């Protein structure tokens, strides 16, 4: 059916993200020794502005994520929504920054693929086994559950189903919890994404939500971005919320979050450590500076907090 086609197109976006991250790391934009186990070949060349855009995305997300881990002293859990083939679990293990437990949710088909990769690649499975204490490691086709890492196949549009599965795998509502969504909410209707962020705010008293996605989509450049995704049958049901930084923040402020902030990626690019930005700008020559600016102005990071335990989460910023 059309719906299956649309979901399949959305699922395929996780390969795009991983392929672009693989390419950018092969050029030295940042280091990720694990992404190679999820996409075998480096693939075709990507334009320098795409690589710089992914660099800003990864640095921006990591900056806020690491700040949350410092505030909570890692006594927390992380839930990556629509995680795809993301490698953050392994980075945190290597940097000694592991939360108590790291959860990932994606469609069952993507979860199964990721689990298959982990099972068959020792550099992926070893860190997982090392952080597991008993012999009860669950590794079947559809879910993975260890002491510190859990992958769940679920549809983020089905809140009761999501809630059930996360509870089954011991997500603890009493612990400070960080939610991540990186290029995910745009594929759900505004109503569906509001219900998801509302569920997060009513279920957890001390929490942060970091969302990366398109913004300023009403102008000409934004319309071209939308057309490109639609050509691939991707259903951009949530594009309404990608009008402005204000509408991004509103989604959280209307659903029980105490604080919300949002920046476009052009701003993020100018506030992340500039010595490293200077380093990556030397990696590849970029002729069209304006193209990069336009691209960065059409993505944003929005983060929201609630803080019953008064850990100072509202101070997390750039
Ligand atoms: N967050 C990863 C990253 O940035 O590398 C993957 C991003 S990819 C563009 C979007 C991901 O969201 C895909 O893996 C897709 O399967 C997942 N996704 C989208 N809608 C979903 C839904 N309703 N339920 C579960 N996963 C969903």
């Amino acid at each position: 059916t059309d719906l299956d086609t649309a979901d399949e197109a959305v699922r395929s976006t996780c390969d795009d993200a991983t392929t672009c991250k693989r390419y950018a790391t092969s050029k030295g934009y940042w280091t990720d020794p694990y992404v190679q186990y999820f996409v075998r070949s480096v693939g075709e060349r990507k334009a320098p502005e795409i690589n710089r855009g992914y660099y800003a995305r990864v640095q921006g997300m990591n900056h806020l994520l690491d700040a949350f881990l410092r505030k909570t002293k890692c006594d927390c859990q992380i839930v990556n929504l629509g995680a795809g083939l993301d490698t953050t679990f392994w980075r945190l293990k290597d940097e000694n920054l592991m939360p108590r437990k790291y959860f990932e949710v994606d469609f069952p088909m993507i979860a199964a693929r990721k689990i298959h990769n982990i099972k068959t690649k020792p550099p992926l499975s070893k860190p997982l086994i090392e952080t597991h204490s008993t012999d009860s490691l669950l590794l079947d086709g559809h879910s993975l559950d260890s002491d510190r890492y859990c992958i769940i196949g679920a549809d983020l549009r089905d809140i009761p189903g999501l809630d059930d599965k996360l509870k089954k795998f011991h997500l603890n509502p009493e612990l400070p919890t960080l939610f991540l969504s990186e290029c995910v909410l745009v594929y759900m209707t505004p109503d569906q994404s509001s219900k998801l962020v509302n569920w997060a705010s009513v279920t957890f008293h001390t929490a942060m939500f970091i969302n990366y996605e398109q913004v300023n989509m009403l102008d000409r450049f934004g319309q071209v971005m939308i057309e490109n995704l639609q050509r691939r049958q991707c259903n951009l049901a949530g594009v309404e919320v990608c009008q402005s930084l204000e509408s991004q923040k509103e989604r959280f402020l209307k659903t029980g979050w105490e604080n919300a902030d949002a920046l476009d990626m052009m701003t993020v690019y100018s506030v992340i450590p500039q010595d490293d930005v200077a380093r990556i700008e030397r990696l590849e020559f970029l002729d069209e500076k304006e193209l990069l600016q336009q691209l960065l102005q059409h993505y944003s990071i929005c983060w929201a907090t609630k803080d019953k335990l008064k850990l100072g989460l509202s101070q997390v910023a750039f």
Side-chain angles (χ1 to χ4, degrees):
T1 70
D2 283 356
L3 271 179
D4 294 334
T5 314
D7 279 358
E8 184 48 41
V10 169
R11 281 191 288 269
S12 77
T13 62
C14 96
D15 287 314
D16 297 346
T18 314
T19 307
C20 289
K21 288 177 181 178
R22 170 92 162 97
Y23 185 83
T25 55
S26 80
K27 286 277 170 191
Y29 281 81
W30 70 93
T31 312
D32 183 342
Y34 299 101
V35 67
Q36 58 178 312
Y37 302 113
F38 290 107
V39 266
R40 224 169 301 143
S41 72
V42 170
E44 49 186 272
R45 184 179 174 275
K46 306 283 185 294
E49 66 271 15
I50 302 288
N51 299 327
R52 291 188 190 185
Y54 269 90
Y55 168 82
R57 164 171 168 177
V58 170
Q59 299 306 310
M61 292 296 285
N62 287 351
H63 172 86
L64 294 176
L65 192 161
D66 294 1
F68 176 87
L69 286 167
R70 280 194 300 273
K71 286 278 182 211
T72 59
K73 304 194 168 65
C74 295
D75 194 10
C76 64
Q77 43 196 6
I78 298 180
V79 185
N80 191 337
L81 302 166
L85 304 174
D86 187 277
T87 56
T88 300
F89 168 77
W90 291 273
R91 175 178 78 84
L92 297 179
K93 161 82 169 64
D94 284 350
E95 295 182 0
N96 250 318
L97 278 176
M98 281 229 296
R100 280 224 226 155
K101 193 163 176 178
Y102 189 92
F103 296 81
E104 294 187 337
V105 182
D106 209 299
F107 284 120
M109 212 181 286
I110 303 290
R113 254 183 70 190
K114 192 165 193 172
I115 291 166
H116 176 77
N117 278 312
I118 294 171
K119 268 193 194 169
T120 52
K121 310 257 173 17
L124 296 178
S125 53
K126 217 173 130 248
L128 212 139
I129 294 161
E130 278 170 14
T131 54
H132 189 75
S133 56
T134 60
D135 53 4
S136 64
L137 191 93
L138 168 72
L139 241 178
D140 66 24
H142 304 284
S143 30
L144 177 161
D145 190 37
S146 72
D147 286 354
R148 312 296 288 272
Y149 185 37
C150 174
I151 303 179
I152 295 169
D155 189 331
L156 299 170
R157 297 166 298 190
D158 167 18
I159 302 294
L162 177 69
D163 188 67
D164 264 8
K165 286 179 182 159
L166 283 167
K167 283 200 182 116
K168 188 175 142 211
F169 292 109
H170 307 112
L171 185 71
N172 178 358
E174 295 307 316
L175 264 187
T177 302
L178 173 65
F179 293 91
L180 304 170
S181 60
E182 190 178 323
C183 285
V184 174
L185 300 187
V186 71
Y187 302 110
M188 310 162 57
T189 67
D191 185 54
Q192 287 162 344
S193 65
S194 285
K195 286 197 169 118
L196 181 62
V197 305
N198 182 66
W199 163 82
S201 90
V202 299
T203 312
F204 300 86
H205 52 68
T206 303
M208 176 161 159
F209 201 118
I210 311 174
N211 178 47
Y212 175 94
E213 70 182 347
Q214 290 87 341
V215 76
N216 299 327
M217 296 306 272
L218 293 181
D219 65 11
R220 182 71 206 120
F221 192 90
Q223 291 307 308
V224 174
M225 286 170 64
I226 294 172
E227 282 159 23
N228 283 337
L229 277 157
Q230 278 171 346
R231 201 165 304 132
R232 301 178 40 199
Q233 328 246 301
C234 270
N235 178 15
L236 295 179
V239 82
E240 243 176 273
V241 190
C242 304
Q243 272 180 30
S244 64
L245 295 174
E246 282 313 307
S247 58
Q248 289 280 351
K249 285 192 273 187
E250 243 177 55
R251 172 163 49 200
F252 291 96
L253 294 173
K254 281 183 172 164
T255 52
W257 293 85
E258 290 162 4
N259 285 290
D261 271 298
L263 295 176
D264 71 49
M265 293 310 288
M266 188 65 221
T267 310
V268 170
Y269 194 70
S270 69
V271 295
I272 54 181
Q274 293 299 297
D275 47 345
D276 201 48
V277 172
R279 176 189 66 80
I280 67 111
E281 289 192 341
R282 287 192 296 267
L283 292 175
E284 289 182 288
F285 180 67
L286 179 67
D287 204 11
E288 281 273 354
K289 287 267 154 57
E290 251 171 57
L291 196 56
L292 174 67
Q293 289 189 358
Q294 282 208 309
L295 195 71
L296 292 175
Q297 278 160 3
H298 287 81
Y299 285 94
S300 68
I301 296 187
C302 179
W303 66 103
T305 57
K306 56 180 295 190
D307 196 1
K308 187 177 156 207
L309 294 178
K310 301 215 182 325
L311 303 174
L313 295 182
S314 69
Q315 296 151 14
V316 171
F318 281 94

